[in-house]
Amino acid sequence: MKRKFIYGMSILFAILCIGLSACQKNKEIVKVSITRENLTMNISSEKTLNQIESILANVKWSPGTQVSWAKEEDCKIVVTYKNGSKTSKTEYGVWFSGIEAELSSSESDESYGELNKEDTKRLKMIVMNK
């Protein structure tokens, strides 16, 4: 009896683990388009995609913040994510202000965000194609 109970609990635990791992957000960046001064640059280099992923992971987001901008964004970044068999796109507006950058996102759970000095410098290098 005890052996059947342990066997049943093991199977239940395995099913639960598989189910939970499938629900995790495993979004992978597969493509990035950057538009600056009416010129669009498509990025597919794995190294650069990883850099952009790292930079976006460091944005300090303030969800639900309503911001109005005095000027048009310095660049627009469209990121294509792949999550399993599904793809989605997120659009980011980027404003460079001195040594930091501010971002807006088309995702409701991000909305408005700020980048630190180091990541702003890294993003500028990518955007300016240097």
mmCIF file of all heavy atoms in Angstrom, residues 15-63:
data_model
loop_
_atom_site.group_PDB
_atom_site.id
_atom_site.type_symbol
_atom_site.label_atom_id
_atom_site.label_comp_id
_atom_site.label_asym_id
_atom_site.label_seq_id
_atom_site.Cartn_x
_atom_site.Cartn_y
_atom_site.Cartn_z
ATOM 1 N N ILE A 15 4.481 15.053 -13.231
ATOM 2 C CA ILE A 15 3.522 15.758 -14.087
ATOM 3 C C ILE A 15 3.471 17.235 -13.714
ATOM 4 O O ILE A 15 3.455 18.112 -14.576
ATOM 5 C CB ILE A 15 2.130 15.102 -14.002
ATOM 6 C CG1 ILE A 15 2.170 13.717 -14.667
ATOM 7 C CG2 ILE A 15 1.066 15.982 -14.644
ATOM 8 C CD1 ILE A 15 0.918 12.882 -14.453
ATOM 9 N N LEU A 16 3.470 17.524 -12.435
ATOM 10 C CA LEU A 16 3.447 18.905 -11.966
ATOM 11 C C LEU A 16 4.695 19.658 -12.423
ATOM 12 O O LEU A 16 4.607 20.793 -12.895
ATOM 13 C CB LEU A 16 3.332 18.936 -10.440
ATOM 14 C CG LEU A 16 3.193 20.301 -9.796
ATOM 15 C CD1 LEU A 16 1.915 20.991 -10.268
ATOM 16 C CD2 LEU A 16 3.184 20.174 -8.286
ATOM 17 N N CYS A 17 5.856 19.048 -12.313
ATOM 18 C CA CYS A 17 7.107 19.688 -12.740
ATOM 19 C C CYS A 17 7.106 19.978 -14.233
ATOM 20 O O CYS A 17 7.503 21.053 -14.675
ATOM 21 C CB CYS A 17 8.308 18.817 -12.395
ATOM 22 S SG CYS A 17 8.683 18.795 -10.636
ATOM 23 N N ILE A 18 6.639 19.026 -15.021
ATOM 24 C CA ILE A 18 6.575 19.211 -16.471
ATOM 25 C C ILE A 18 5.603 20.338 -16.810
ATOM 26 O O ILE A 18 5.894 21.204 -17.633
ATOM 27 C CB ILE A 18 6.178 17.895 -17.185
ATOM 28 C CG1 ILE A 18 7.315 16.883 -17.061
ATOM 29 C CG2 ILE A 18 5.840 18.141 -18.644
ATOM 30 C CD1 ILE A 18 6.941 15.473 -17.479
ATOM 31 N N GLY A 19 4.464 20.356 -16.171
ATOM 32 C CA GLY A 19 3.468 21.402 -16.406
ATOM 33 C C GLY A 19 3.985 22.779 -16.044
ATOM 34 O O GLY A 19 3.805 23.744 -16.788
ATOM 35 N N LEU A 20 4.650 22.894 -14.921
ATOM 36 C CA LEU A 20 5.171 24.187 -14.497
ATOM 37 C C LEU A 20 6.301 24.669 -15.396
ATOM 38 O O LEU A 20 6.398 25.860 -15.688
ATOM 39 C CB LEU A 20 5.653 24.129 -13.041
ATOM 40 C CG LEU A 20 4.561 24.045 -11.985
ATOM 41 C CD1 LEU A 20 5.175 23.878 -10.599
ATOM 42 C CD2 LEU A 20 3.677 25.279 -12.023
ATOM 43 N N SER A 21 7.138 23.779 -15.855
ATOM 44 C CA SER A 21 8.232 24.199 -16.728
ATOM 45 C C SER A 21 7.698 24.687 -18.074
ATOM 46 O O SER A 21 8.275 25.566 -18.690
ATOM 47 C CB SER A 21 9.239 23.077 -16.926
ATOM 48 O OG SER A 21 8.670 22.013 -17.647
ATOM 49 N N ALA A 22 6.592 24.140 -18.520
ATOM 50 C CA ALA A 22 5.994 24.578 -19.776
ATOM 51 C C ALA A 22 5.375 25.958 -19.646
ATOM 52 O O ALA A 22 5.258 26.686 -20.624
ATOM 53 C CB ALA A 22 4.932 23.578 -20.237
ATOM 54 N N CYS A 23 4.988 26.343 -18.449
ATOM 55 C CA CYS A 23 4.355 27.641 -18.225
ATOM 56 C C CYS A 23 5.352 28.775 -18.042
ATOM 57 O O CYS A 23 4.977 29.931 -18.061
ATOM 58 C CB CYS A 23 3.444 27.581 -17.003
ATOM 59 S SG CYS A 23 2.012 26.530 -17.230
ATOM 60 N N GLN A 24 6.604 28.469 -17.838
ATOM 61 C CA GLN A 24 7.596 29.511 -17.611
ATOM 62 C C GLN A 24 7.781 30.347 -18.869
ATOM 63 O O GLN A 24 7.605 29.872 -19.982
ATOM 64 C CB GLN A 24 8.941 28.909 -17.229
ATOM 65 C CG GLN A 24 8.956 28.324 -15.858
ATOM 66 C CD GLN A 24 10.337 27.743 -15.534
ATOM 67 O OE1 GLN A 24 11.153 27.520 -16.415
ATOM 68 N NE2 GLN A 24 10.557 27.509 -14.269
ATOM 69 N N LYS A 25 8.149 31.624 -18.664
ATOM 70 C CA LYS A 25 8.445 32.500 -19.783
ATOM 71 C C LYS A 25 9.857 32.212 -20.264
ATOM 72 O O LYS A 25 10.819 32.569 -19.620
ATOM 73 C CB LYS A 25 8.346 33.968 -19.368
ATOM 74 C CG LYS A 25 6.956 34.483 -19.246
ATOM 75 C CD LYS A 25 6.990 35.975 -19.024
ATOM 76 C CE LYS A 25 5.590 36.543 -19.029
ATOM 77 N NZ LYS A 25 5.604 37.997 -18.854
ATOM 78 N N ASN A 26 9.966 31.558 -21.391
ATOM 79 C CA ASN A 26 11.261 31.288 -21.994
ATOM 80 C C ASN A 26 11.315 32.003 -23.332
ATOM 81 O O ASN A 26 11.471 31.388 -24.368
ATOM 82 C CB ASN A 26 11.483 29.783 -22.176
ATOM 83 C CG ASN A 26 11.731 29.084 -20.870
ATOM 84 O OD1 ASN A 26 12.268 29.680 -19.944
ATOM 85 N ND2 ASN A 26 11.346 27.826 -20.784
ATOM 86 N N LYS A 27 11.170 33.320 -23.279
ATOM 87 C CA LYS A 27 11.200 34.095 -24.508
ATOM 88 C C LYS A 27 12.642 34.269 -24.957
ATOM 89 O O LYS A 27 13.504 34.614 -24.177
ATOM 90 C CB LYS A 27 10.552 35.463 -24.305
ATOM 91 C CG LYS A 27 9.086 35.386 -24.005
ATOM 92 C CD LYS A 27 8.328 36.677 -24.009
ATOM 93 C CE LYS A 27 9.007 37.932 -23.657
ATOM 94 N NZ LYS A 27 8.124 39.092 -23.593
ATOM 95 N N GLU A 28 12.860 33.994 -26.212
ATOM 96 C CA GLU A 28 14.182 34.125 -26.803
ATOM 97 C C GLU A 28 14.099 35.174 -27.906
ATOM 98 O O GLU A 28 13.181 35.161 -28.725
ATOM 99 C CB GLU A 28 14.604 32.776 -27.385
ATOM 100 C CG GLU A 28 15.860 32.807 -28.183
ATOM 101 C CD GLU A 28 16.096 31.507 -28.943
ATOM 102 O OE1 GLU A 28 15.270 30.587 -28.849
ATOM 103 O OE2 GLU A 28 17.111 31.445 -29.638
ATOM 104 N N ILE A 29 15.048 36.102 -27.924
ATOM 105 C CA ILE A 29 15.073 37.108 -28.984
ATOM 106 C C ILE A 29 15.618 36.451 -30.246
ATOM 107 O O ILE A 29 16.687 35.842 -30.231
ATOM 108 C CB ILE A 29 15.950 38.313 -28.589
ATOM 109 C CG1 ILE A 29 15.315 39.064 -27.416
ATOM 110 C CG2 ILE A 29 16.146 39.248 -29.772
ATOM 111 C CD1 ILE A 29 16.119 40.246 -26.923
ATOM 112 N N VAL A 30 14.860 36.575 -31.345
ATOM 113 C CA VAL A 30 15.307 35.978 -32.598
ATOM 114 C C VAL A 30 15.630 37.036 -33.654
ATOM 115 O O VAL A 30 16.328 36.747 -34.621
ATOM 116 C CB VAL A 30 14.270 34.975 -33.156
ATOM 117 C CG1 VAL A 30 14.196 33.743 -32.282
ATOM 118 C CG2 VAL A 30 12.912 35.606 -33.319
ATOM 119 N N LYS A 31 15.119 38.264 -33.459
ATOM 120 C CA LYS A 31 15.369 39.320 -34.437
ATOM 121 C C LYS A 31 15.160 40.666 -33.776
ATOM 122 O O LYS A 31 14.283 40.818 -32.929
ATOM 123 C CB LYS A 31 14.440 39.171 -35.639
ATOM 124 C CG LYS A 31 14.630 40.197 -36.719
ATOM 125 C CD LYS A 31 13.618 40.003 -37.829
ATOM 126 C CE LYS A 31 13.653 41.180 -38.770
ATOM 127 N NZ LYS A 31 12.541 41.171 -39.703
ATOM 128 N N VAL A 32 15.956 41.648 -34.192
ATOM 129 C CA VAL A 32 15.801 43.017 -33.713
ATOM 130 C C VAL A 32 15.914 43.952 -34.908
ATOM 131 O O VAL A 32 16.813 43.800 -35.741
ATOM 132 C CB VAL A 32 16.870 43.382 -32.664
ATOM 133 C CG1 VAL A 32 16.806 44.851 -32.296
ATOM 134 C CG2 VAL A 32 16.712 42.530 -31.409
ATOM 135 N N SER A 33 14.990 44.906 -34.976
ATOM 136 C CA SER A 33 15.052 45.961 -35.990
ATOM 137 C C SER A 33 15.177 47.289 -35.258
ATOM 138 O O SER A 33 14.395 47.569 -34.349
ATOM 139 C CB SER A 33 13.800 45.970 -36.864
ATOM 140 O OG SER A 33 13.673 44.764 -37.561
ATOM 141 N N ILE A 34 16.145 48.094 -35.675
ATOM 142 C CA ILE A 34 16.351 49.405 -35.062
ATOM 143 C C ILE A 34 16.145 50.467 -36.137
ATOM 144 O O ILE A 34 16.783 50.423 -37.196
ATOM 145 C CB ILE A 34 17.764 49.538 -34.468
ATOM 146 C CG1 ILE A 34 17.962 48.487 -33.369
ATOM 147 C CG2 ILE A 34 18.003 50.946 -33.924
ATOM 148 C CD1 ILE A 34 19.370 48.427 -32.808
ATOM 149 N N THR A 35 15.242 51.406 -35.863
ATOM 150 C CA THR A 35 14.988 52.501 -36.791
ATOM 151 C C THR A 35 15.480 53.788 -36.151
ATOM 152 O O THR A 35 15.071 54.141 -35.045
ATOM 153 C CB THR A 35 13.491 52.611 -37.137
ATOM 154 O OG1 THR A 35 13.050 51.360 -37.672
ATOM 155 C CG2 THR A 35 13.237 53.715 -38.145
ATOM 156 N N ARG A 36 16.371 54.460 -36.865
ATOM 157 C CA ARG A 36 16.933 55.732 -36.408
ATOM 158 C C ARG A 36 17.087 56.627 -37.619
ATOM 159 O O ARG A 36 17.674 56.225 -38.623
ATOM 160 C CB ARG A 36 18.285 55.489 -35.737
ATOM 161 C CG ARG A 36 18.946 56.716 -35.161
ATOM 162 C CD ARG A 36 20.253 56.373 -34.464
ATOM 163 N NE ARG A 36 21.258 55.857 -35.349
ATOM 164 C CZ ARG A 36 22.170 56.613 -35.976
ATOM 165 N NH1 ARG A 36 22.188 57.892 -35.805
ATOM 166 N NH2 ARG A 36 23.053 56.049 -36.765
ATOM 167 N N GLU A 37 16.554 57.851 -37.519
ATOM 168 C CA GLU A 37 16.628 58.818 -38.612
ATOM 169 C C GLU A 37 16.117 58.215 -39.922
ATOM 170 O O GLU A 37 16.757 58.328 -40.972
ATOM 171 C CB GLU A 37 18.057 59.341 -38.762
ATOM 172 C CG GLU A 37 18.563 60.071 -37.531
ATOM 173 C CD GLU A 37 20.030 60.467 -37.619
ATOM 174 O OE1 GLU A 37 20.691 60.176 -38.644
ATOM 175 O OE2 GLU A 37 20.509 61.067 -36.654
ATOM 176 N N ASN A 38 14.973 57.543 -39.849
ATOM 177 C CA ASN A 38 14.299 56.922 -40.994
ATOM 178 C C ASN A 38 15.093 55.819 -41.676
ATOM 179 O O ASN A 38 14.787 55.432 -42.795
ATOM 180 C CB ASN A 38 13.874 57.980 -42.021
ATOM 181 C CG ASN A 38 12.822 58.907 -41.473
ATOM 182 O OD1 ASN A 38 11.946 58.489 -40.725
ATOM 183 N ND2 ASN A 38 12.913 60.183 -41.825
ATOM 184 N N LEU A 39 16.135 55.319 -41.035
ATOM 185 C CA LEU A 39 16.891 54.186 -41.558
ATOM 186 C C LEU A 39 16.691 53.003 -40.625
ATOM 187 O O LEU A 39 16.802 53.141 -39.412
ATOM 188 C CB LEU A 39 18.380 54.517 -41.651
ATOM 189 C CG LEU A 39 18.767 55.659 -42.594
ATOM 190 C CD1 LEU A 39 20.248 55.995 -42.442
ATOM 191 C CD2 LEU A 39 18.463 55.280 -44.037
ATOM 192 N N THR A 40 16.395 51.839 -41.207
ATOM 193 C CA THR A 40 16.163 50.639 -40.404
ATOM 194 C C THR A 40 17.327 49.678 -40.575
ATOM 195 O O THR A 40 17.770 49.402 -41.686
ATOM 196 C CB THR A 40 14.848 49.954 -40.801
ATOM 197 O OG1 THR A 40 13.780 50.870 -40.601
ATOM 198 C CG2 THR A 40 14.598 48.709 -39.974
ATOM 199 N N MET A 41 17.802 49.200 -39.437
ATOM 200 C CA MET A 41 18.894 48.234 -39.418
ATOM 201 C C MET A 41 18.359 46.955 -38.774
ATOM 202 O O MET A 41 17.816 47.001 -37.667
ATOM 203 C CB MET A 41 20.041 48.833 -38.589
ATOM 204 C CG MET A 41 21.171 47.886 -38.307
ATOM 205 S SD MET A 41 22.550 48.648 -37.390
ATOM 206 C CE MET A 41 21.757 49.298 -35.933
ATOM 207 N N ASN A 42 18.482 45.836 -39.478
ATOM 208 C CA ASN A 42 18.055 44.548 -38.941
ATOM 209 C C ASN A 42 19.257 43.841 -38.335
ATOM 210 O O ASN A 42 20.325 43.775 -38.947
ATOM 211 C CB ASN A 42 17.434 43.677 -40.028
ATOM 212 C CG ASN A 42 16.116 44.235 -40.492
ATOM 213 O OD1 ASN A 42 15.276 44.612 -39.686
ATOM 214 N ND2 ASN A 42 15.929 44.320 -41.800
ATOM 215 N N ILE A 43 19.063 43.327 -37.138
ATOM 216 C CA ILE A 43 20.147 42.654 -36.425
ATOM 217 C C ILE A 43 19.797 41.180 -36.263
ATOM 218 O O ILE A 43 18.721 40.844 -35.777
ATOM 219 C CB ILE A 43 20.374 43.297 -35.047
ATOM 220 C CG1 ILE A 43 20.818 44.750 -35.239
ATOM 221 C CG2 ILE A 43 21.390 42.517 -34.239
ATOM 222 C CD1 ILE A 43 20.906 45.535 -33.975
ATOM 223 N N SER A 44 20.721 40.328 -36.668
ATOM 224 C CA SER A 44 20.510 38.889 -36.494
ATOM 225 C C SER A 44 21.737 38.213 -35.889
ATOM 226 O O SER A 44 21.699 37.020 -35.608
ATOM 227 C CB SER A 44 20.136 38.235 -37.826
ATOM 228 O OG SER A 44 21.133 38.494 -38.789
ATOM 229 N N SER A 45 22.805 38.977 -35.678
ATOM 230 C CA SER A 45 24.009 38.435 -35.063
ATOM 231 C C SER A 45 23.688 37.960 -33.648
ATOM 232 O O SER A 45 23.152 38.709 -32.836
ATOM 233 C CB SER A 45 25.100 39.507 -35.018
ATOM 234 O OG SER A 45 26.043 39.243 -34.002
ATOM 235 N N GLU A 46 24.027 36.706 -33.359
ATOM 236 C CA GLU A 46 23.722 36.134 -32.042
ATOM 237 C C GLU A 46 24.380 36.930 -30.914
ATOM 238 O O GLU A 46 23.785 37.158 -29.869
ATOM 239 C CB GLU A 46 24.149 34.672 -31.985
ATOM 240 C CG GLU A 46 23.657 33.967 -30.742
ATOM 241 C CD GLU A 46 23.921 32.470 -30.775
ATOM 242 O OE1 GLU A 46 24.056 31.896 -31.871
ATOM 243 O OE2 GLU A 46 23.986 31.883 -29.683
ATOM 244 N N LYS A 47 25.601 37.387 -31.152
ATOM 245 C CA LYS A 47 26.318 38.168 -30.142
ATOM 246 C C LYS A 47 25.569 39.467 -29.825
ATOM 247 O O LYS A 47 25.359 39.809 -28.659
ATOM 248 C CB LYS A 47 27.729 38.482 -30.632
ATOM 249 C CG LYS A 47 28.543 39.313 -29.668
ATOM 250 C CD LYS A 47 29.908 39.641 -30.242
ATOM 251 C CE LYS A 47 30.654 40.584 -29.316
ATOM 252 N NZ LYS A 47 31.905 41.058 -29.911
ATOM 253 N N THR A 48 25.133 40.176 -30.862
ATOM 254 C CA THR A 48 24.426 41.441 -30.660
ATOM 255 C C THR A 48 23.044 41.200 -30.060
ATOM 256 O O THR A 48 22.599 41.959 -29.193
ATOM 257 C CB THR A 48 24.313 42.219 -31.986
ATOM 258 O OG1 THR A 48 25.623 42.348 -32.559
ATOM 259 C CG2 THR A 48 23.746 43.604 -31.769
ATOM 260 N N LEU A 49 22.366 40.143 -30.487
ATOM 261 C CA LEU A 49 21.056 39.815 -29.908
ATOM 262 C C LEU A 49 21.198 39.527 -28.416
ATOM 263 O O LEU A 49 20.373 39.965 -27.612
ATOM 264 C CB LEU A 49 20.427 38.615 -30.626
ATOM 265 C CG LEU A 49 19.999 38.840 -32.080
ATOM 266 C CD1 LEU A 49 19.476 37.532 -32.679
ATOM 267 C CD2 LEU A 49 18.965 39.931 -32.202
ATOM 268 N N ASN A 50 22.259 38.815 -28.037
ATOM 269 C CA ASN A 50 22.502 38.530 -26.617
ATOM 270 C C ASN A 50 22.791 39.808 -25.838
ATOM 271 O O ASN A 50 22.345 39.958 -24.697
ATOM 272 C CB ASN A 50 23.652 37.539 -26.451
ATOM 273 C CG ASN A 50 23.265 36.134 -26.880
ATOM 274 O OD1 ASN A 50 22.100 35.781 -26.905
ATOM 275 N ND2 ASN A 50 24.259 35.345 -27.235
ATOM 276 N N GLN A 51 23.525 40.736 -26.453
ATOM 277 C CA GLN A 51 23.801 42.018 -25.803
ATOM 278 C C GLN A 51 22.498 42.794 -25.581
ATOM 279 O O GLN A 51 22.277 43.346 -24.498
ATOM 280 C CB GLN A 51 24.757 42.867 -26.636
ATOM 281 C CG GLN A 51 26.175 42.370 -26.645
ATOM 282 C CD GLN A 51 27.066 43.190 -27.564
ATOM 283 O OE1 GLN A 51 26.609 43.811 -28.515
ATOM 284 N NE2 GLN A 51 28.355 43.183 -27.283
ATOM 285 N N ILE A 52 21.643 42.832 -26.590
ATOM 286 C CA ILE A 52 20.373 43.547 -26.474
ATOM 287 C C ILE A 52 19.498 42.893 -25.413
ATOM 288 O O ILE A 52 18.868 43.582 -24.603
ATOM 289 C CB ILE A 52 19.659 43.622 -27.844
ATOM 290 C CG1 ILE A 52 20.457 44.538 -28.783
ATOM 291 C CG2 ILE A 52 18.218 44.105 -27.693
ATOM 292 C CD1 ILE A 52 19.997 44.533 -30.216
ATOM 293 N N GLU A 53 19.464 41.563 -25.397
ATOM 294 C CA GLU A 53 18.690 40.846 -24.380
ATOM 295 C C GLU A 53 19.182 41.199 -22.976
ATOM 296 O O GLU A 53 18.396 41.442 -22.063
ATOM 297 C CB GLU A 53 18.781 39.342 -24.627
ATOM 298 C CG GLU A 53 17.885 38.527 -23.744
ATOM 299 C CD GLU A 53 17.841 37.066 -24.174
ATOM 300 O OE1 GLU A 53 18.848 36.547 -24.697
ATOM 301 O OE2 GLU A 53 16.785 36.451 -23.988
ATOM 302 N N SER A 54 20.492 41.258 -22.812
ATOM 303 C CA SER A 54 21.088 41.613 -21.527
ATOM 304 C C SER A 54 20.737 43.047 -21.132
ATOM 305 O O SER A 54 20.399 43.322 -19.969
ATOM 306 C CB SER A 54 22.609 41.443 -21.615
ATOM 307 O OG SER A 54 23.240 42.002 -20.510
ATOM 308 N N ILE A 55 20.802 43.948 -22.072
ATOM 309 C CA ILE A 55 20.465 45.358 -21.800
ATOM 310 C C ILE A 55 19.005 45.490 -21.399
ATOM 311 O O ILE A 55 18.679 46.139 -20.397
ATOM 312 C CB ILE A 55 20.785 46.235 -23.032
ATOM 313 C CG1 ILE A 55 22.308 46.316 -23.240
ATOM 314 C CG2 ILE A 55 20.181 47.628 -22.884
ATOM 315 C CD1 ILE A 55 22.723 46.881 -24.590
ATOM 316 N N LEU A 56 18.102 44.869 -22.161
ATOM 317 C CA LEU A 56 16.666 44.967 -21.857
ATOM 318 C C LEU A 56 16.331 44.329 -20.507
ATOM 319 O O LEU A 56 15.412 44.765 -19.823
ATOM 320 C CB LEU A 56 15.832 44.342 -22.974
ATOM 321 C CG LEU A 56 15.837 45.113 -24.301
ATOM 322 C CD1 LEU A 56 15.080 44.328 -25.376
ATOM 323 C CD2 LEU A 56 15.245 46.504 -24.128
ATOM 324 N N ALA A 57 17.092 43.314 -20.116
ATOM 325 C CA ALA A 57 16.862 42.670 -18.818
ATOM 326 C C ALA A 57 17.217 43.609 -17.668
ATOM 327 O O ALA A 57 16.714 43.438 -16.554
ATOM 328 C CB ALA A 57 17.677 41.384 -18.721
ATOM 329 N N ASN A 58 18.061 44.602 -17.929
ATOM 330 C CA ASN A 58 18.490 45.531 -16.891
ATOM 331 C C ASN A 58 17.670 46.818 -16.818
ATOM 332 O O ASN A 58 17.967 47.681 -16.000
ATOM 333 C CB ASN A 58 19.969 45.880 -17.081
ATOM 334 C CG ASN A 58 20.873 44.703 -16.815
ATOM 335 O OD1 ASN A 58 20.550 43.835 -16.024
ATOM 336 N ND2 ASN A 58 22.013 44.663 -17.486
ATOM 337 N N VAL A 59 16.666 46.948 -17.673
ATOM 338 C CA VAL A 59 15.816 48.144 -17.633
ATOM 339 C C VAL A 59 15.000 48.120 -16.340
ATOM 340 O O VAL A 59 14.436 47.090 -15.971
ATOM 341 C CB VAL A 59 14.870 48.206 -18.858
ATOM 342 C CG1 VAL A 59 13.904 49.382 -18.732
ATOM 343 C CG2 VAL A 59 15.660 48.303 -20.147
ATOM 344 N N LYS A 60 14.954 49.240 -15.664
ATOM 345 C CA LYS A 60 14.118 49.371 -14.464
ATOM 346 C C LYS A 60 12.759 49.883 -14.915
ATOM 347 O O LYS A 60 12.572 51.073 -15.162
ATOM 348 C CB LYS A 60 14.769 50.326 -13.459
ATOM 349 C CG LYS A 60 16.035 49.767 -12.872
ATOM 350 C CD LYS A 60 16.645 50.707 -11.872
ATOM 351 C CE LYS A 60 17.945 50.097 -11.360
ATOM 352 N NZ LYS A 60 18.933 51.084 -11.025
ATOM 353 N N TRP A 61 11.810 48.956 -15.038
ATOM 354 C CA TRP A 61 10.482 49.281 -15.550
ATOM 355 C C TRP A 61 9.576 49.818 -14.449
ATOM 356 O O TRP A 61 9.640 49.372 -13.313
ATOM 357 C CB TRP A 61 9.832 48.048 -16.185
ATOM 358 C CG TRP A 61 10.542 47.574 -17.412
ATOM 359 C CD1 TRP A 61 11.300 46.445 -17.534
ATOM 360 C CD2 TRP A 61 10.570 48.214 -18.684
ATOM 361 N NE1 TRP A 61 11.788 46.349 -18.814
ATOM 362 C CE2 TRP A 61 11.366 47.421 -19.545
ATOM 363 C CE3 TRP A 61 10.001 49.389 -19.197
ATOM 364 C CZ2 TRP A 61 11.599 47.753 -20.875
ATOM 365 C CZ3 TRP A 61 10.240 49.721 -20.517
ATOM 366 C CH2 TRP A 61 11.029 48.915 -21.340
ATOM 367 N N SER A 62 8.728 50.753 -14.840
ATOM 368 C CA SER A 62 7.690 51.298 -13.957
ATOM 369 C C SER A 62 6.350 51.060 -14.648
ATOM 370 O O SER A 62 5.860 51.923 -15.377
ATOM 371 C CB SER A 62 7.904 52.801 -13.726
ATOM 372 O OG SER A 62 9.148 53.039 -13.137
ATOM 373 N N PRO A 63 5.776 49.867 -14.458
ATOM 374 C CA PRO A 63 4.530 49.526 -15.148
ATOM 375 C C PRO A 63 3.411 50.514 -14.842
ATOM 376 O O PRO A 63 3.297 51.020 -13.730
ATOM 377 C CB PRO A 63 4.178 48.142 -14.597
ATOM 378 C CG PRO A 63 5.448 47.620 -14.026
ATOM 379 C CD PRO A 63 6.230 48.818 -13.578
#
